[in-house]
Amino acid sequence: MSHTFGLHNISHRGTSQRIKTCFFLLLLPLLILSCVGNSTLHNNEQKDSDSVVTIVTIVDTATVKPDTLLASLSPQQIDSLYFRLTHHYSRNFNFLVKADSLTLIPREGDMITDTCRVYDNDLIVVADIDQSTDTIWIKVAHDQYTMGWIPESELLQGTTPNDMISELLSFLTDSRGIWMSALIAIGLITFMLRNKRKHQLQILQFDEMQSPYPFIFLALIAMMACLYASIQHLVPEFWVEYYFHPTLNPLQLPLLMAILVTLVWCVIIIFIAVCDEVYHHFYFAQGLAYIVELISVAMLTYLIIGWSTLLYIGYPLLIAFLIALAHIYWRITHKS
C-alpha cells in the first residue's frame, strides 16, 4: 500500500484546515496562560527579587524622592542591592554545577575547615558574598557538611542558574558551533542528493509548496537573529538578567527582551504550521528533505544576519532579505 503526503482532495483539505484551526485555538490559551502565570524565579530568592523590583519601582516614580528611600537603607542593604543589580544574583540564589567538579575552600571563622568538592549536577546555594578584596569570593553550600568559598569567576564558569530555561540557554550557547554546523552540513548533504536526481541547482524550492509559512519562518529567524545580536552588542545586561531570571512571559520583561521572547514563540508556532503544510504536499522523504533544507537555510540566515549585525551592516541586510522574501512569494503566487 502506498502512502503519500500529497493528499489533494478537497474534503480532506477542508478537514485538515479545521484540525489546524482547532490546534491553534487550543495553543492560544496556553500562550495566554504563560503570559499571566508566575515567572521562573526560585522561591528561595523571590523575597530578595521582589524587594529589588519594589525599590527600583519606587525610585523611578516621581512622587518619592530617591534620596529619602536610600537614606532609610543600611549600608549593607545598599551594597546587597547594588550587587544584585550589577551581578544579577544575590544570597540564597541556587546554582546547578555543570563542571566535573568545583573546589570549595574554607576561610577564617568557618565551622568547616577542610577543603571539599561539589560535582556535576549538584545543587548549591549562595550563602555569603565577600567583596572586600579585588577578587569577589562567594560562599556556597551543598549541604551542612559541604560548603566553602570560591572565586566568582570560577563559580559562574562552572555552574548555571538552577532553572530549566537557563540550563537550556547554557547548553545551546556552549554547543552552538557543533549543532549549528551539524544542521548546516545535513542540509547541504540533503540539498546535493535531492538536486542530483533532478539535475538542477536550486536551494529550497519554494515553488513546490505555495505556502506563506516557510517565508514567514525565515523572516522571523532573520529578525530574531538581528534583535538578539543587537541586545548582546548594545545592551548585554538585558540578556544576562534574562539568563539568571528567565521567564516565558513577555509581559514581565523589558521591551527588547519581550519582543525577543515573542519572536521565539512565533518561530515555534510557524514551524509547526510549516510541518503541517509539508505533510499535505509531499511524500515522506520529500517532506523530510524540505524541512531539513529549510532548517539549514534558517541557520545560515541566522549566522549571517547575526554576525553582520555586530558590524552594523545587519540592519540594511535584514531589510533587503525581507524584501527579497516578499518578492519571491509574490512572484510564486502570481505565477500560479
Side-chain angles (χ1 to χ4, degrees), residues 22-183:
C22 292
F23 172 78
F24 285 112
L25 288 177
L26 289 175
L27 185 61
L28 182 61
L30 296 177
L31 297 179
I32 296 175
L33 287 175
S34 73
C35 290
V36 299
N38 294 327
S39 67
T40 55
L41 291 174
H42 308 295
N43 292 332
N44 59 355
E45 60 171 310
Q46 187 70 48
K47 184 176 179 181
D48 290 340
S49 178
D50 288 344
S51 64
V52 171
V53 173
T54 302
I55 291 173
V56 173
T57 302
I58 293 175
V59 170
D60 287 341
T61 60
T63 57
V64 180
K65 294 182 179 180
D67 293 341
T68 305
L69 175 65
L70 295 177
S72 64
L73 300 177
S74 66
Q76 185 177 3
Q77 289 175 320
I78 294 176
D79 290 343
S80 178
L81 172 61
Y82 180 77
F83 187 87
R84 163 62 183 86
L85 294 176
T86 55
H87 293 253
H88 309 282
Y89 68 95
S90 59
R91 290 178 178 84
N92 298 325
F93 189 87
N94 289 333
F95 285 100
L96 188 69
V97 179
K98 68 176 182 179
D100 293 335
S101 66
L102 294 176
T103 302
L104 309 180
I105 63 174
R107 300 182 71 181
E108 186 178 355
D110 289 347
M111 296 179 59
I112 297 177
T113 58
D114 295 330
T115 298
C116 57
R117 287 179 176 272
V118 289
Y119 299 93
D120 187 20
N121 287 326
D122 281 350
L123 184 64
I124 57 177
V125 60
V126 176
D128 200 0
I129 300 170
D130 183 9
Q131 307 180 67
S132 60
T133 60
D134 293 337
T135 300
I136 298 177
W137 287 85
I138 309 297
K139 184 177 183 180
V140 297
H142 175 59
D143 53 45
Q144 59 181 341
Y145 305 108
T146 308
M147 63 178 66
W149 295 84
I150 184 174
E152 183 189 38
S153 58
E154 294 183 20
L155 173 69
L156 297 181
Q157 186 176 2
T159 62
T160 62
N162 184 34
D163 186 279
M164 290 184 61
I165 301 177
S166 299
E167 294 172 32
L168 177 62
L169 293 174
S170 177
F171 170 78
L172 293 177
T173 301
D174 294 342
S175 59
R176 178 171 52 190
I178 297 176
W179 61 264
M180 278 192 170
S181 300
L183 289 175

Side-chain angles (χ1 to χ4, degrees), residues 182-206 208 285-297 300:
L183 289 175
I184 294 174
I186 293 173
L188 181 61
I189 294 173
T190 304
F191 160 74
M192 294 175 63
L193 293 176
R194 190 181 185 193
N195 286 275
K196 183 178 180 181
R197 294 194 300 268
K198 295 187 175 183
H199 305 288
Q200 61 180 356
L201 291 177
Q202 185 178 356
I203 299 177
L204 201 59
Q205 300 167 14
F206 288 110
E208 291 184 340
Q286 292 176 327
L288 182 61
Y290 187 94
I291 292 176
V292 170
E293 288 185 18
L294 179 64
I295 294 176
S296 180
V297 171
L300 282 173

